[in-house]
Amino acid sequence: MATHIIGGALPTMPWQDKPADCVGPLWRDDRNPIIGWNPTPKMARVFNSAVVPWGEGFIGVFRADHRDGKPLLHVGRSQNALDWEFENEEIHFVDEPGADYQPNYAYDPRVVKIEDTYYVTWCTDFGGPALGLASTTDFVTFVRMENICTPYNRNGVLFPRKIDGKFVLLTRPSDAGHTAFGDIFISQSPDLVHWGRHRRVMSTGDTWWQALKIGAGAPPIETDEGWLLFYHGVTNTCNGYVYSYGAVLLDLENPDRVLHRTYNYLLTPEKDYETNGFVPNVAFPCSVLVDAPTGRIAIYYGAADTYTAVAYAQVDELIAHIKADSRLVPGDADEFR
Ligand code: BMA
């Protein structure tokens, strides 16, 4: 059975056909990395960022590490979603009461459009790393909303629509450091203020590439077979953490239920821009562009905490692969609810 993405057409999204010698259902753009060092005077490294369609082109919220070492968020615009122009000035949020709000640091943004509003989640400083939430309708004014959770938590990914009338969020509770543990949890909210009905969605399990911790990557893609979620998995080595990514299919109505999950990674650091940089061996997806009629998916991922890169997949092939490669681990089904 062919799998369909539920959504609109986006024929202008980037795409390259799968190379004949490609093994597996994901392939990289041969123009990678699409964003290199020092794109503006303030921005040293741009990675782990979120792009969305905007008018005839594209817009995004980008993580940029500055020369003082701290990350902040910047707006970028593009006609083709490959060549980006950034605002050198970081986003200055306003609080809901209208006062200026500038986080001490801000990183790993995700953006979803729910109804007519774009929501940004990111890792903010709230007595330690926790999840920030802001809304925008024009990418000029960003209104900071209620804190989603108490510290510590870094990976907040909203579903792109309400499910059963509730906003739904994936998170990964953590600690204040370079957390050496972590599973993916899910929470619901009627109003983006009060969060509850917390469930564990999936745990690390014993597959080595994702044995240390896992975290939601891009906002889930709705398909007629389930929510397609790219997630990162981390392993510990004698030279530090290595970040790869895989994918999981979650039940459409009850997205705390895992239907299928890649046993093997889909992409692991192999290319120079993934294995060399500020933090070597990191591939960290934060956003996707999709063209529903063709089933094309472009995955935007940070590489080595230095670059931004793109990989592609075709939904039929990818879902068939996930099913064939799937092996659930304790926590994927109902045991830990
Ligand atoms: C995580 C986050 C990510 C980063 C990764 C690898 O804890 O800080 O932004 O890509 O570590 O350094």
Side-chain angles (χ1 to χ4, degrees):
M1 187 182 77
T3 307
H4 299 103
I5 293 175
I6 298 170
L10 191 60
T12 54
M13 68 175 256
W15 183 254
Q16 288 183 331
D17 287 331
K18 183 174 179 173
D21 60 354
C22 173
V23 179
L26 235 71
W27 58 98
R28 295 165 175 83
D29 193 305
D30 62 17
R31 295 161 288 191
N32 279 345
I34 61 162
I35 304 168
W37 278 93
N38 303 319
T40 80
K42 274 194 173 182
M43 304 165 84
R45 299 178 299 273
V46 179
F47 54 100
N48 301 4
S49 297
V51 309
V52 289
W54 181 252
E56 299 298 301
F58 300 88
I59 203 162
V61 174
F62 292 82
R63 168 190 176 151
D65 288 11
H66 288 201
R67 289 181 175 74
D68 63 1
K70 277 192 185 176
L72 289 173
L73 304 182
H74 291 243
V75 171
R77 293 180 174 79
S78 174
Q79 280 308 307
N80 62 6
L82 294 171
D83 304 304
W84 289 90
E85 286 191 4
F86 299 107
E87 288 179 9
N88 183 50
E89 191 61 23
E90 62 272 10
I91 293 173
H92 293 273
F93 296 85
V94 289
D95 252 327
E96 278 180 316
D100 289 345
Y101 164 73
Q102 192 57 353
N104 177 27
Y105 53 75
Y107 61 81
D108 297 358
R110 275 70 160 196
V111 176
V112 289
K113 186 182 185 193
I114 305 176
E115 291 150 19
D116 290 327
T117 302
Y118 294 83
Y119 295 97
V120 187
T121 50
W122 75 95
C123 178
T124 199
D125 183 17
F126 168 47
L131 295 176
L133 174 66
S135 70
T136 186
T137 52
D138 56 9
F139 286 83
V140 176
T141 302
F142 289 84
V143 181
R144 179 223 184 180
M145 302 168 68
E146 264 303 328
N147 295 310
I148 288 174
C149 60
T150 53
Y152 305 103
N153 204 314
R154 287 196 177 78
N155 278 277
V157 178
L158 279 165
F159 282 69
R161 69 164 170 84
K162 292 180 186 172
I163 301 172
D164 200 17
K166 305 285 194 320
F167 296 94
V168 183
L169 177 78
L170 298 166
T171 73
R172 203 266 307 291
S174 61
D175 63 16
H178 298 293
T179 315
F181 63 88
D183 292 345
I184 299 176
F185 291 77
I186 198 166
S187 310
Q188 296 182 2
S189 172
D191 53 8
L192 293 170
V193 174
H194 306 92
W195 292 93
R197 295 205 66 192
H198 313 291
R199 301 279 185 274
R200 175 150 59 170
V201 179
M202 50 196 278
S203 62
T204 51
D206 62 355
T207 322
W208 280 16
W209 69 270
Q210 55 186 344
L212 189 75
K213 55 181 169 177
I214 54 176
I221 300 167
E222 188 170 8
T223 78
D224 52 12
E225 294 204 60
W227 293 101
L228 172 61
L229 170 74
F230 294 99
Y231 71 96
H232 64 260
V234 184
T235 191
N236 198 6
T237 75
C238 56
N239 277 328
Y241 292 175
V242 175
Y243 284 68
S244 308
Y245 60 92
V248 66
L249 206 58
L250 304 173
D251 186 82
L252 273 182
E253 298 309 317
N254 300 298
D256 54 307
R257 281 193 46 225
V258 174
L259 303 176
H260 305 283
R261 171 182 181 169
T262 43
Y263 182 75
N264 298 289
Y265 58 73
L266 291 170
L267 188 144
T268 199
E270 289 176 24
K271 301 287 183 186
D272 283 351
Y273 54 86
E274 296 161 344
T275 58
N276 290 306
F278 186 68
V279 181
N281 299 313
V282 181
F284 195 99
C286 285
S287 58
V288 286
L289 295 174
V290 299
D291 181 48
T294 59
R296 291 177 172 179
I297 301 171
I299 304 141
Y300 285 74
Y301 63 100
D305 285 10
T306 305
Y307 307 104
T308 301
V310 183
Y312 301 109
Q314 210 284 333
V315 74
D316 285 324
E317 184 189 3
L318 179 60
I319 300 272
H321 175 92
I322 296 171
K323 287 180 179 173
D325 190 43
S326 183
R327 212 174 306 178
L328 301 189
V329 301
D332 287 348
D334 294 344
E335 291 92 332
F336 294 104
R337 303 176 92 199

